[in-house]
Amino acid sequence: MKHIERIPSEHKQKTFFLLCTAEMVGIITGTVAAASEMNISSRFFCPFFCGGTLLDVFVNTLAVSMIFLAAAFLSGLFAFGQPVGIALMIGVGTVLGISGSILYNAAGSSDILPAALIILPKSAAFSAVSLLAIREIFRSSSAILGFVSGKEHNSADLRLYCIKFIVLAVIFFIISVADSLMNYIFGNLF
């Protein structure tokens, strides 16, 4: 299991760069999609500025987070979950790009600072936790692939994998609460 768990630092940097690039591709895609006004529901991505309540903000943020986390968890249970992880990072970037574009459109260019105060902390936290989830996908799927291919005789510890995703779910819950509070505090600046 040494060759699976111990990834040299140069590979970690390449993986981190790959995941950040995938997220940036998604952000650009989401921004272009929102700018071209492709039937995107503003109420889902930006409920507070479209007449929604703070409960709508909390539920929407938590729903997006839990859908992402469930997809990440399930893809980590397969030997070839790494491509799915990259696709999930592109999806995260797309959601962040759409959210930022819709918020900018709703706030206008004169209110860019309050818009940044609302979207940037949530985006940074969501991206960081998403990177942790994708890292776990890579570790788990690599361990399963090593076990299946006969190169490794120990299977991945499923309990530890589940605990890590429970912790990530709690962090996403905290992010959802914080996002609702940020919208309540800074939403009045528009």
Side-chain angles (χ1 to χ4, degrees):
M1 192 136 173
K2 290 180 184 177
H3 66 283
I4 292 174
E5 286 186 10
R6 304 287 297 161
I7 300 172
S9 62
E10 65 184 36
H11 292 289
K12 287 181 183 179
Q13 291 172 351
K14 289 178 185 176
T15 302
F16 181 73
F17 178 73
L18 174 68
L19 292 176
C20 288
T21 302
E23 187 174 18
M24 288 305 297
V25 166
I27 289 172
I28 292 168
T29 303
T31 303
V32 169
S36 65
E37 298 178 24
M38 298 170 53
N39 286 333
I40 297 171
S41 173
S42 297
R43 290 191 58 78
F44 184 74
F45 289 106
C46 192
F48 188 72
F49 295 100
C50 300
T53 65
L54 290 177
L55 182 61
D56 291 338
V57 173
F58 173 76
V59 169
N60 290 337
T61 303
L62 191 62
V64 169
S65 302
M66 291 302 126
I67 290 169
F68 165 79
L69 204 57
F73 178 80
L74 292 174
S75 65
L77 296 177
F78 297 97
F80 298 104
Q82 294 176 358
V84 176
I86 293 172
L88 285 172
M89 279 312 293
I90 292 172
V92 166
T94 302
V95 168
L96 294 178
I98 290 171
S99 298
S101 294
I102 289 175
L103 183 61
Y104 180 74
N105 286 339
S109 60
S110 62
D111 293 328
I112 192 70
L113 183 62
L117 287 173
I118 290 174
I119 198 72
L120 288 180
K122 173 191 170 186
S123 297
F126 195 85
S127 292
V129 177
S130 298
L131 283 170
L132 291 174
I134 301 302
R135 181 188 68 179
E136 293 307 316
I137 290 173
F138 279 23
R139 285 182 179 174
S140 176
S141 64
S142 293
I144 292 171
L145 183 62
F147 177 73
V148 170
S149 66
K151 295 178 183 174
E152 187 59 43
H153 298 292
N154 295 326
S155 62
D157 188 4
L158 184 60
R159 249 184 324 172
L160 182 60
Y161 184 72
C162 292
I163 290 170
K164 288 178 181 180
F165 273 89
I166 289 170
V167 169
L168 291 175
V170 169
I171 293 171
F172 272 136
F173 180 82
I174 293 168
I175 290 171
S176 299
V177 170
D179 183 41
S180 298
L181 292 175
M182 294 290 283
N183 275 282
Y184 178 74
I185 293 168
F186 294 116
N188 297 328
L189 297 177
F190 293 102

